[in-house]
């Protein structure tokens, strides 16, 4: 049943994503950074997440997979360390997805809002 779900995830992601222009090098950098954060466990859930990262067709898809990556990392390293790891991906997304996803609104004064990483 799980293999069927994985296949359906892959097919649905390919069908639902609209063709958009993006930098393939940026996509590759983001994907590699996310996969590098994954623990080296060979469990089914880890392999499924790794597969989803590998078949993501654009940076926006990878942006939404950060939640799944964070949940996985929480189990292995704790919530605070997992959050720091996922937030370290932030700069890779800045030029690859819409500013609204990053919590930035054009024409607004002040700092970014929403899902922004804490200042260090």
């Amino acid at each position: 049943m799980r293999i069927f779900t994985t296949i359906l995830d892959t097919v649905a992601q390919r069908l639902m994503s609209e063709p958009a222009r993006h930098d393939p090098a940026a996509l590759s950098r983001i994907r590699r950074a996310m996969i590098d954060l994954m623990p080296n466990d060979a469990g089914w859930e880890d392999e499924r997440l790794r597969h989803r990262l590998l078949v993501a067709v654009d940076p926006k898809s990878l942006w939404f997979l950060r939640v799944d990556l964070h949940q996985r990392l929480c189990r292995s390293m704790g919530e605070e360390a997992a959050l720091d790891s996922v937030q370290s991906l932030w700069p890779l997304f800045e030029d690859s997805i819409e500013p609204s996803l990053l919590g930035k609104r054009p024409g607004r004064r002040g700092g970014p809002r929403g899902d922004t990483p804490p200042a260090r």
Side-chain angles (χ1 to χ4, degrees):
M1 183 64 176
R2 287 184 174 173
I3 190 81
F4 186 67
T5 305
T6 302
I7 292 169
L8 282 179
D9 284 346
T10 304
V11 171
Q13 190 174 33
R14 300 268 173 150
L15 291 176
M16 291 174 46
S17 63
E18 57 191 41
R21 295 193 176 142
H22 57 274
D23 181 13
L27 177 66
S28 180
R29 279 192 303 274
I30 296 168
R31 178 181 285 129
R32 175 56 36 211
M34 291 178 83
I35 290 172
D36 287 346
L37 288 177
M38 294 274 304
N40 290 327
D41 296 342
W44 170 255
E45 291 175 351
D46 292 341
E47 289 304 317
R48 182 171 183 240
L49 178 55
R50 193 171 282 110
H51 173 75
R52 291 177 67 201
L53 291 169
L54 288 170
V55 300
V57 295
D58 59 7
K60 188 174 180 179
S61 300
L62 290 172
W63 175 258
F64 291 114
L65 284 171
R66 289 174 316 121
V67 174
D68 297 331
L69 179 60
H70 177 259
Q71 288 175 347
R72 172 56 190 99
L73 293 175
C74 281
R75 289 194 306 266
S76 65
M77 62 175 59
E79 187 172 349
E80 189 173 333
L83 184 59
D84 288 342
S85 294
V86 172
Q87 285 182 339
S88 72
L89 300 168
W90 186 273
L92 297 173
F93 286 102
E94 284 186 335
D95 294 329
S96 300
I97 61 174
E98 301 88 26
S100 60
L101 288 175
L102 293 168
K104 300 176 182 177
R105 288 190 276 179
R108 183 171 182 213
R109 290 187 174 177
R113 63 175 183 85
D115 191 20
T116 58
R120 295 189 185 235

